[in-house]
Amino acid sequence: MEAESDRTEGQAARLPLSVFVIAQNEAARLPRTLAAARFAAELLVVDSGSTDDTVALAEAAGARVVHHDWAGYGPQKAFAEGLCAHDWVLNLDADEVVTGALAAEIARLFAEGPPPPAAYEIAILNVYPGDSRPRPWAADYRVVRLYHRSIGSYRRHALFDRVELAEGVRPARLAAPIWHYPLTSWAQFVEKENRYSSFQAREARERPRWLLLLRLVVELPMAFLKFYLLRRHVTGGWKGFAFALTAGFARWLRVVKLLERQGLERGVKENPEKSDDRMKHGP
């Protein structure tokens, strides 16, 4: 009876907030993500067809798991958002961890019950393979992740998963960050960026050929400088240099694949009877 009482009190102490995660084959990283989000009254995982232990581990962590076939980043998150039991929601990727400082900051917002509808940007800081924390003075990016569903929702764009806020709503900023563990190894980083650049090239809108040819020349150095200097990977030593260069190469590779797509589409128009299967199937 004492254990049951403790469990009930623990549930009651959780914040009236839903944390939702979209996942596929994230057994290695998802448990840490869910464990750090136990301050929320609801943990929701939308799985798009995992073949590893993702579903079992999510359920063991106390999450409600719902299957939904992959529909693209924005639609998948919008679907998960709509299933949440609470109007205040926090979106996490399966490889992200809420820091203790951020959990405490969110708890202060809810100290007297659910606050009035608002939206909050949170800093997402990358952690390199083999490291336990972000590099010094990291400045990766800020996005709206904590918000009230009455004033914001995920746009249904297959590529850009961004929260769109109601007209006139300006997001506030939380001071503490989310730590992002996007890479299990450098080899996995390259494989991931190759797959993602293919997806981007397939889903992106048509661009003028002259613009793509210009970007073919400038994309890699400009993207490298953006990551290395503006996002401060320069403070990450050799790992920071490797990250910035690989990320910049991925941006350049997307341009190459967009040019390839244009060539394939032109070939289909000129020879419709010889339509290439690559126009139908992604990697």
Side-chain angles (χ1 to χ4, degrees), residues 67-93:
H67 173 83
H68 188 252
D69 289 341
W70 179 249
Y73 290 98
Q76 198 77 357
K77 289 193 175 185
F79 175 82
E81 175 188 82
L83 295 179
C84 290
H86 298 273
D87 285 328
W88 271 102
V89 296
L90 171 66
N91 173 237
L92 297 173
D93 287 345

mmCIF file of all heavy atoms in Angstrom, residues 67-93:
data_model
loop_
_atom_site.group_PDB
_atom_site.id
_atom_site.type_symbol
_atom_site.label_atom_id
_atom_site.label_comp_id
_atom_site.label_asym_id
_atom_site.label_seq_id
_atom_site.Cartn_x
_atom_site.Cartn_y
_atom_site.Cartn_z
ATOM 1 N N HIS A 67 0.812 3.874 -33.077
ATOM 2 C CA HIS A 67 1.447 3.690 -34.380
ATOM 3 C C HIS A 67 0.821 4.629 -35.410
ATOM 4 O O HIS A 67 -0.399 4.808 -35.453
ATOM 5 C CB HIS A 67 1.290 2.252 -34.882
ATOM 6 C CG HIS A 67 1.792 2.077 -36.289
ATOM 7 N ND1 HIS A 67 3.132 1.880 -36.562
ATOM 8 C CD2 HIS A 67 1.149 2.114 -37.492
ATOM 9 C CE1 HIS A 67 3.286 1.786 -37.872
ATOM 10 N NE2 HIS A 67 2.107 1.928 -38.467
ATOM 11 N N HIS A 68 1.674 5.211 -36.243
ATOM 12 C CA HIS A 68 1.206 6.034 -37.359
ATOM 13 C C HIS A 68 2.239 5.940 -38.465
ATOM 14 O O HIS A 68 3.415 6.272 -38.254
ATOM 15 C CB HIS A 68 1.015 7.491 -36.932
ATOM 16 C CG HIS A 68 0.349 8.345 -37.966
ATOM 17 N ND1 HIS A 68 1.028 9.307 -38.690
ATOM 18 C CD2 HIS A 68 -0.928 8.377 -38.403
ATOM 19 C CE1 HIS A 68 0.180 9.906 -39.527
ATOM 20 N NE2 HIS A 68 -1.011 9.360 -39.372
ATOM 21 N N ASP A 69 1.833 5.482 -39.637
ATOM 22 C CA ASP A 69 2.773 5.371 -40.746
ATOM 23 C C ASP A 69 3.413 6.720 -41.031
ATOM 24 O O ASP A 69 2.773 7.775 -40.916
ATOM 25 C CB ASP A 69 2.060 4.870 -42.005
ATOM 26 C CG ASP A 69 1.662 3.408 -41.903
ATOM 27 O OD1 ASP A 69 2.233 2.697 -41.036
ATOM 28 O OD2 ASP A 69 0.776 2.973 -42.664
ATOM 29 N N TRP A 70 4.679 6.679 -41.420
ATOM 30 C CA TRP A 70 5.436 7.905 -41.660
ATOM 31 C C TRP A 70 4.746 8.771 -42.708
ATOM 32 O O TRP A 70 4.417 8.314 -43.798
ATOM 33 C CB TRP A 70 6.846 7.565 -42.108
ATOM 34 C CG TRP A 70 7.689 8.767 -42.392
ATOM 35 C CD1 TRP A 70 8.139 9.191 -43.600
ATOM 36 C CD2 TRP A 70 8.177 9.709 -41.432
ATOM 37 N NE1 TRP A 70 8.885 10.350 -43.462
ATOM 38 C CE2 TRP A 70 8.918 10.688 -42.146
ATOM 39 C CE3 TRP A 70 8.043 9.834 -40.044
ATOM 40 C CZ2 TRP A 70 9.535 11.758 -41.506
ATOM 41 C CZ3 TRP A 70 8.662 10.905 -39.415
ATOM 42 C CH2 TRP A 70 9.395 11.849 -40.144
ATOM 43 N N ALA A 71 4.559 10.053 -42.347
ATOM 44 C CA ALA A 71 3.865 10.992 -43.238
ATOM 45 C C ALA A 71 4.701 12.223 -43.544
ATOM 46 O O ALA A 71 4.217 13.143 -44.194
ATOM 47 C CB ALA A 71 2.542 11.415 -42.591
ATOM 48 N N GLY A 72 5.956 12.243 -43.092
ATOM 49 C CA GLY A 72 6.769 13.443 -43.211
ATOM 50 C C GLY A 72 6.894 14.098 -41.844
ATOM 51 O O GLY A 72 6.072 13.870 -40.953
ATOM 52 N N TYR A 73 7.911 14.929 -41.662
ATOM 53 C CA TYR A 73 8.206 15.465 -40.334
ATOM 54 C C TYR A 73 7.056 16.295 -39.758
ATOM 55 O O TYR A 73 6.600 16.059 -38.631
ATOM 56 C CB TYR A 73 9.491 16.295 -40.390
ATOM 57 C CG TYR A 73 10.721 15.457 -40.604
ATOM 58 C CD1 TYR A 73 11.281 15.307 -41.883
ATOM 59 C CD2 TYR A 73 11.323 14.793 -39.548
ATOM 60 C CE1 TYR A 73 12.410 14.519 -42.081
ATOM 61 C CE2 TYR A 73 12.442 14.007 -39.740
ATOM 62 C CZ TYR A 73 12.979 13.871 -41.011
ATOM 63 O OH TYR A 73 14.089 13.080 -41.208
ATOM 64 N N GLY A 74 6.604 17.286 -40.519
ATOM 65 C CA GLY A 74 5.527 18.137 -40.014
ATOM 66 C C GLY A 74 4.229 17.383 -39.767
ATOM 67 O O GLY A 74 3.645 17.468 -38.677
ATOM 68 N N PRO A 75 3.718 16.626 -40.754
ATOM 69 C CA PRO A 75 2.480 15.879 -40.539
ATOM 70 C C PRO A 75 2.568 14.871 -39.398
ATOM 71 O O PRO A 75 1.599 14.681 -38.655
ATOM 72 C CB PRO A 75 2.266 15.174 -41.888
ATOM 73 C CG PRO A 75 2.946 16.046 -42.875
ATOM 74 C CD PRO A 75 4.149 16.582 -42.169
ATOM 75 N N GLN A 76 3.734 14.244 -39.233
ATOM 76 C CA GLN A 76 3.888 13.268 -38.159
ATOM 77 C C GLN A 76 3.795 13.942 -36.790
ATOM 78 O O GLN A 76 3.132 13.445 -35.871
ATOM 79 C CB GLN A 76 5.221 12.530 -38.294
ATOM 80 C CG GLN A 76 5.308 11.228 -37.523
ATOM 81 C CD GLN A 76 4.564 10.081 -38.205
ATOM 82 O OE1 GLN A 76 3.930 10.262 -39.237
ATOM 83 N NE2 GLN A 76 4.642 8.914 -37.622
ATOM 84 N N LYS A 77 4.427 15.104 -36.663
ATOM 85 C CA LYS A 77 4.359 15.823 -35.395
ATOM 86 C C LYS A 77 2.970 16.419 -35.160
ATOM 87 O O LYS A 77 2.485 16.455 -34.020
ATOM 88 C CB LYS A 77 5.435 16.910 -35.344
ATOM 89 C CG LYS A 77 6.844 16.345 -35.216
ATOM 90 C CD LYS A 77 7.862 17.407 -34.861
ATOM 91 C CE LYS A 77 9.236 16.778 -34.625
ATOM 92 N NZ LYS A 77 10.237 17.763 -34.153
ATOM 93 N N ALA A 78 2.331 16.872 -36.227
ATOM 94 C CA ALA A 78 0.973 17.402 -36.078
ATOM 95 C C ALA A 78 0.011 16.303 -35.616
ATOM 96 O O ALA A 78 -0.880 16.544 -34.791
ATOM 97 C CB ALA A 78 0.497 18.003 -37.400
ATOM 98 N N PHE A 79 0.189 15.098 -36.147
ATOM 99 C CA PHE A 79 -0.631 13.965 -35.721
ATOM 100 C C PHE A 79 -0.420 13.687 -34.231
ATOM 101 O O PHE A 79 -1.388 13.524 -33.471
ATOM 102 C CB PHE A 79 -0.293 12.729 -36.545
ATOM 103 C CG PHE A 79 -1.000 11.480 -36.094
ATOM 104 C CD1 PHE A 79 -2.304 11.220 -36.497
ATOM 105 C CD2 PHE A 79 -0.358 10.564 -35.263
ATOM 106 C CE1 PHE A 79 -2.959 10.069 -36.072
ATOM 107 C CE2 PHE A 79 -1.006 9.415 -34.834
ATOM 108 C CZ PHE A 79 -2.309 9.167 -35.243
ATOM 109 N N ALA A 80 0.832 13.647 -33.797
ATOM 110 C CA ALA A 80 1.134 13.392 -32.385
ATOM 111 C C ALA A 80 0.587 14.504 -31.501
ATOM 112 O O ALA A 80 0.000 14.236 -30.442
ATOM 113 C CB ALA A 80 2.647 13.264 -32.201
ATOM 114 N N GLU A 81 0.759 15.728 -31.936
ATOM 115 C CA GLU A 81 0.252 16.887 -31.190
ATOM 116 C C GLU A 81 -1.248 16.773 -30.936
ATOM 117 O O GLU A 81 -1.739 17.053 -29.841
ATOM 118 C CB GLU A 81 0.571 18.139 -31.998
ATOM 119 C CG GLU A 81 0.037 19.441 -31.491
ATOM 120 C CD GLU A 81 0.275 20.529 -32.520
ATOM 121 O OE1 GLU A 81 -0.525 20.634 -33.469
ATOM 122 O OE2 GLU A 81 1.264 21.260 -32.389
ATOM 123 N N GLY A 82 -1.974 16.321 -31.953
ATOM 124 C CA GLY A 82 -3.425 16.206 -31.825
ATOM 125 C C GLY A 82 -3.884 15.125 -30.869
ATOM 126 O O GLY A 82 -5.040 15.137 -30.417
ATOM 127 N N LEU A 83 -3.012 14.175 -30.543
ATOM 128 C CA LEU A 83 -3.365 13.090 -29.623
ATOM 129 C C LEU A 83 -3.116 13.434 -28.161
ATOM 130 O O LEU A 83 -3.523 12.678 -27.272
ATOM 131 C CB LEU A 83 -2.571 11.827 -29.972
ATOM 132 C CG LEU A 83 -2.841 11.170 -31.317
ATOM 133 C CD1 LEU A 83 -1.929 9.959 -31.483
ATOM 134 C CD2 LEU A 83 -4.296 10.760 -31.447
ATOM 135 N N CYS A 84 -2.430 14.545 -27.909
ATOM 136 C CA CYS A 84 -2.026 14.870 -26.542
ATOM 137 C C CYS A 84 -3.238 15.124 -25.646
ATOM 138 O O CYS A 84 -4.237 15.717 -26.071
ATOM 139 C CB CYS A 84 -1.113 16.094 -26.537
ATOM 140 S SG CYS A 84 0.516 15.771 -27.258
ATOM 141 N N ALA A 85 -3.117 14.680 -24.415
ATOM 142 C CA ALA A 85 -4.216 14.833 -23.452
ATOM 143 C C ALA A 85 -4.269 16.237 -22.866
ATOM 144 O O ALA A 85 -5.310 16.639 -22.335
ATOM 145 C CB ALA A 85 -4.065 13.809 -22.332
ATOM 146 N N HIS A 86 -3.179 16.972 -22.916
ATOM 147 C CA HIS A 86 -3.114 18.306 -22.320
ATOM 148 C C HIS A 86 -2.899 19.355 -23.410
ATOM 149 O O HIS A 86 -2.318 19.078 -24.458
ATOM 150 C CB HIS A 86 -1.974 18.381 -21.306
ATOM 151 C CG HIS A 86 -2.140 17.448 -20.148
ATOM 152 N ND1 HIS A 86 -2.849 17.768 -19.015
ATOM 153 C CD2 HIS A 86 -1.701 16.176 -19.973
ATOM 154 C CE1 HIS A 86 -2.836 16.744 -18.178
ATOM 155 N NE2 HIS A 86 -2.150 15.757 -18.742
ATOM 156 N N ASP A 87 -3.365 20.570 -23.139
ATOM 157 C CA ASP A 87 -3.202 21.651 -24.103
ATOM 158 C C ASP A 87 -1.790 22.229 -24.080
ATOM 159 O O ASP A 87 -1.318 22.753 -25.090
ATOM 160 C CB ASP A 87 -4.226 22.759 -23.853
ATOM 161 C CG ASP A 87 -5.619 22.364 -24.331
ATOM 162 O OD1 ASP A 87 -5.702 21.610 -25.321
ATOM 163 O OD2 ASP A 87 -6.605 22.797 -23.723
ATOM 164 N N TRP A 88 -1.120 22.163 -22.932
ATOM 165 C CA TRP A 88 0.286 22.528 -22.879
ATOM 166 C C TRP A 88 1.101 21.321 -23.328
ATOM 167 O O TRP A 88 0.967 20.222 -22.775
ATOM 168 C CB TRP A 88 0.704 22.948 -21.470
ATOM 169 C CG TRP A 88 0.516 24.413 -21.205
ATOM 170 C CD1 TRP A 88 -0.494 24.996 -20.510
ATOM 171 C CD2 TRP A 88 1.370 25.471 -21.651
ATOM 172 N NE1 TRP A 88 -0.331 26.357 -20.481
ATOM 173 C CE2 TRP A 88 0.812 26.680 -21.174
ATOM 174 C CE3 TRP A 88 2.547 25.513 -22.388
ATOM 175 C CZ2 TRP A 88 1.393 27.918 -21.427
ATOM 176 C CZ3 TRP A 88 3.135 26.745 -22.644
ATOM 177 C CH2 TRP A 88 2.568 27.933 -22.163
ATOM 178 N N VAL A 89 1.942 21.512 -24.346
ATOM 179 C CA VAL A 89 2.707 20.394 -24.900
ATOM 180 C C VAL A 89 4.172 20.789 -25.047
ATOM 181 O O VAL A 89 4.517 21.962 -25.253
ATOM 182 C CB VAL A 89 2.148 19.940 -26.265
ATOM 183 C CG1 VAL A 89 0.730 19.387 -26.110
ATOM 184 C CG2 VAL A 89 2.171 21.072 -27.282
ATOM 185 N N LEU A 90 5.021 19.777 -24.937
ATOM 186 C CA LEU A 90 6.458 19.932 -25.167
ATOM 187 C C LEU A 90 6.871 18.871 -26.161
ATOM 188 O O LEU A 90 6.673 17.675 -25.924
ATOM 189 C CB LEU A 90 7.235 19.756 -23.861
ATOM 190 C CG LEU A 90 8.768 19.690 -23.977
ATOM 191 C CD1 LEU A 90 9.332 21.025 -24.468
ATOM 192 C CD2 LEU A 90 9.393 19.315 -22.635
ATOM 193 N N ASN A 91 7.410 19.301 -27.286
ATOM 194 C CA ASN A 91 7.879 18.352 -28.293
ATOM 195 C C ASN A 91 9.368 18.080 -28.124
ATOM 196 O O ASN A 91 10.166 19.001 -27.976
ATOM 197 C CB ASN A 91 7.608 18.881 -29.695
ATOM 198 C CG ASN A 91 8.241 18.010 -30.766
ATOM 199 O OD1 ASN A 91 9.032 18.475 -31.573
ATOM 200 N ND2 ASN A 91 7.927 16.730 -30.759
ATOM 201 N N LEU A 92 9.724 16.799 -28.146
ATOM 202 C CA LEU A 92 11.120 16.385 -28.108
ATOM 203 C C LEU A 92 11.378 15.422 -29.253
ATOM 204 O O LEU A 92 10.504 14.631 -29.613
ATOM 205 C CB LEU A 92 11.445 15.677 -26.789
ATOM 206 C CG LEU A 92 11.311 16.480 -25.495
ATOM 207 C CD1 LEU A 92 11.513 15.558 -24.303
ATOM 208 C CD2 LEU A 92 12.321 17.626 -25.456
ATOM 209 N N ASP A 93 12.581 15.477 -29.810
ATOM 210 C CA ASP A 93 13.014 14.422 -30.711
ATOM 211 C C ASP A 93 13.513 13.257 -29.864
ATOM 212 O O ASP A 93 13.872 13.424 -28.692
ATOM 213 C CB ASP A 93 14.108 14.928 -31.644
ATOM 214 C CG ASP A 93 13.566 15.859 -32.719
ATOM 215 O OD1 ASP A 93 12.329 15.892 -32.910
ATOM 216 O OD2 ASP A 93 14.372 16.560 -33.362
#
